[in-house]
Amino acid sequence: MLQKVLQALEETQGPVSLDELSRQLELDVGVLEGMIDFWVRKGKLKDSRLAACAGGCGNCNPGAQGCTFDRGRPRSITLT
Amino acid sequence: MTSFALTPSLRMTYASPIEVELTRLSEALGHCPDLVARYPMRWLAIQLLEGDTLLQAEVERLGGSVASEALAASRMRLETHYGEDLDVAMVDQRYRFVHDLAAQALTRPKTPSLTMSDRVDRIVTNRWLGIPIFLGLMWVVFKLTTDVAAPFVDWIDAVLTGPVSHWITSLLSITGLSGGWLESLLIDGVIAGVGGVLVFIPVLFSLYFALAILEDSGYMARSAFVMDRLMHRLGLHGKSFLPMVVGFGCSVPAIYATRTLENERDRILTGLLVPFMSCSARLPVYVLVAAIFFPTMAGLVIFGLYLTGILVAIGLGMLLKRTLFGNELPTPFVIELPPYRLPTLRNIWHQMWERTSAFLQHAWTIILGTSMVVWLLLALPVSGEGSFADTDVDQSAFAAVSGVMTPVFAPLGFGSWETSGALLTGFVAKEVVVSTMIQVYNVPGAEEEEVGATTIGEDLLAIGGGFLSATGDALKALPSIIGINLAAEEDEQAPDGLTGAIRQGFDASSGGHGALAALAFLVFVLLYTPCMVAVAAARQEFGSRWMWVSIIGQFVIAWLAALIVFQGGRFFL
Amino acid sequence: MADLTIALAGNPNVGKSTLFNALTGRHQHVGNWPGKTVAKQEGKLMIEGKHLTIIDLPGTYSLSAHSPEEEIARNFIVCGRPDAVVNVLDAANLERNLYLSAQILETGVPMILVLNMTDVATARGLQIHPEVLSTRLGIPVITMAASRGQGLGELKRLLATIARTPREAMLGSSVCA
Ligand SMILES: Nc1nc2c(ncn2[C@@H]2O[C@H](COP(=O)(O)OP(=O)(O)OP(=O)(O)O)[C@@H](O)[C@H]2O)c(=O)[nH]1
Ligand SMILES: [Mg+2]
């Protein structure tokens, strides 16, 4: 089941939403999220939230929750 | 009442090689009383095989070498079956167990009911409707930022040039310092410069308000998704629009946001394109210039500029992808579309405040500093018979320095030392373009409509009254966003000092095509280097070679685009 | 008789604190986003003359310690020697929630499954069969809508039976670091 997630990602064309992927794999979105988290910890997938604004924000006043301008960016997951 | 056994009767079994080792390992660990006293043995064995480092350290500490050796041996034997991926196998088996369990305990509806979110998504992320909806919303955003904010801009402007300037002058005359260079510095440097930018805070406030609503409601994620799908169809690497969405706020975090792209080439390419997204600091320039030259369609002009930024980024991206950056396959990615929700006032307020205060912080440092340097250069006479702080601006050092650049801008219709100077300081930060323009076009005496001495009380009353009427005007402007025009067409006001000076300046440098030159100027402001900080960020992320590519490339593109607008426009008009 | 300790465990944002408040009359922070409870909280409850100590744990997706909150939850379940773990699940997201249940099962600790948010599950057209879970796993399973007070009575009755049938003493009583 876990491998299917990686495979599906390798085969997709262009961006897919989490919902689309979960329908394609016939998995609950919640389950898919759990599996993605596992692969992120294993280093096979990369989660944009964990890499966000690591370089600082320059003039845009990094607040407690990171860069104020960066928060609008949706989370995305890619193969590494 | 029946009493249940709470201790589970079923536990999941792993594949047999793992089960064999689990039994062996828990038996071996069972010889360490310290471990037995603390942990359930089977659970401990499972966690250890799964590779839990915390527990492994525990076992080494409490169980000593016997336990660690047993663990290492079990791992070794399992490696022949699973290689490095023992943990993957175990987690996978657990997922299967749970999947089977859920399949038995749960009957899902045959046709899953569509949630509200799903239904909205079908429309908003629709292949054909997605982009028109995105553009429509953008249009509303810029109508909102210009029309609703405009009355407040006028109000702050009136407060700063009226009461505040009076107060400073009176204060200086009380202390006996009036008329000297200090007054000039405060009024022409600080108030005209920093104040000139502060005037636009209502514009930024409403932009941040609109952005906060789009983000908080969950729409922003959809727009990035829709745009990225478009980019993908155009043969561009996916995922690059995600940093670009950030670029509408500020280019700097957008450049850092390219870190989420894996491929080095994609990262650099996106980093080169991100600055074309119109950042919020450019908005005051658009508002100032558009209000002077295109008062009835400022919203349209600004919308057009934002759109131009996106189109240039996409067009250039396609071009570079076909040439410099090779045509490799785009990396696929999954995007999380958060559920739609009603934005909370608290969140929106928080974001507006945080972003506006970031801007204010900027005003006190970079803008103040640049305004003072510009004032100093404007005060220094290099020719003519003026003396310090009392010279004709045409004969100032600033005019001399900026004059060097004017031939470059002449074909674009804005080859005057004033605009060249504003664009020059604009390298530092885009807000500064506004402050410099106000400083250089500052017509001495024109602003001072001596209305006689006013008391502080009268001033405060006027400030309060002004705010109320501004609020009224803003409310009246709201319906116009959807096309209803309540406010009576404002009769063309006699241009005040600044407006008149700027108009004359553009008319003179363009041979009478002032509006065209102004449009070319705005396009140039849109496309050239956003600010020093963005340059520094580009250097840190991509190295100085790419930083120079970015600076020069942006300048050339901005110049060409402005040329097309001005010369092309002149040809057709 | 000594107090019995009951721990509330489950994924983030499934209604553990809502249930905790309903049981103990305390006012733990409840809200609709994950990660509100960050340290374990204690409350008291008396059923049929028996004293119960209820522990509200931070939400966790697994028993592997990936974050400080997860570590707190894991340490208490594994080493805190609770007399029972009440595993609260979001019935509308059953499969993901059962992953943690599978891990708690592996510890061998006595447990009760509470399928919470049944109102949401029903609204989504999901049909839950608690009896299947109960027979497959051999533990009691209760359906609940904690925010509406549904299922609370049943859980309390069940907790009372634990009080009447204390388990034999555990091997040790030490709490791991
Ligand atoms: N519809 C519905 N909502 C519920 C139910 N139980 C709890 N909620 C809501 O779910 C949200 C989360 O509840 P909490 O009790 O804070 O969840 P928690 O498990 O303690 O969350 P963390 O401490 O963050 O792990 C709150 O908004 C509750 O009002 C229920 O049975 N039905
Ligand atoms: Mg809680």
Side-chain angles (χ1 to χ4, degrees), chain C residues 12-18 30-31 35-37 59 116-117 119-120 145-147:
Chain C
N13 208 31
V14 295
K16 298 177 297 296
S17 298
T18 311
V30 164
K36 296 164 298 278
T37 310
N116 192 31
M117 308 242 189
D119 52 328
V120 182
S147 54

Side-chain angles (χ1 to χ4, degrees), chain B residues 3-6 8-10 14 37-40 43 46 52 55 91 94 98-99 104-109, chain C residues 74 78 81 95 98-99 103 105-107 109-111 124-125 127-129 133 136-140 158 162 174:
Chain B
S3 146
F4 284 93
L6 296 182
S9 57
L10 172 86
Y14 291 87
R38 274 157 219 244
Y39 299 101
W43 179 81
I46 292 171
D52 189 306
L55 286 173
V91 171
R94 204 176 289 131
V98 165
H99 191 67
Q104 292 170 349
L106 187 69
T107 316
R108 293 170 212 262
Chain C
R74 157 164 123 177
V78 175
R81 308 282 185 216
E95 190 171 329
L98 277 172
Y99 186 87
Q103 285 199 308
L105 283 171
E106 286 171 347
T107 67
V109 69
M111 73 191 281
R124 289 204 197 147
Q127 265 180 291
I128 314 260
H129 314 295
L133 279 179
R136 285 274 335 255
L137 303 176
I139 51 174
L158 196 60
I162 316 175
S174 64

Side-chain angles (χ1 to χ4, degrees), chain B residues 423-546:
Chain B
L423 292 175
L424 210 60
T425 56
F427 270 107
V428 177
K430 280 292 151 295
E431 301 92 327
V432 181
V433 173
V434 167
S435 62
T436 307
M437 281 178 80
I438 292 175
Q439 283 178 289
V440 296
Y441 286 112
N442 191 7
V443 192
E447 306 263 332
E448 282 145 45
E449 316 139 22
E450 280 303 330
V451 270
T454 49
T455 65
I456 293 213
E458 283 165 357
D459 278 345
L460 289 180
L461 219 61
I463 294 175
F467 181 76
L468 286 182
S469 76
T471 313
D473 287 348
L475 289 177
K476 266 191 271 172
L478 269 180
S480 78
I481 290 171
I482 48 169
I484 309 164
N485 199 350
L486 283 188
E489 267 318 310
E490 246 175 83
D491 26 43
E492 191 64 26
Q493 293 166 335
D496 70 8
L498 181 68
T499 308
I502 293 182
R503 215 181 251 174
Q504 274 169 20
F506 275 87
D507 277 341
S509 62
S510 62
H513 298 280
L516 214 48
L519 198 60
F521 178 75
L522 289 182
V523 168
F524 191 88
V525 168
L526 163 74
L527 298 174
Y528 86 115
T529 305
C531 64
M532 287 317 291
V533 190
V535 168
R539 187 184 142 137
Q540 188 189 340
E541 291 298 291
F542 315 118
S544 30
R545 198 167 67 102
W546 286 111

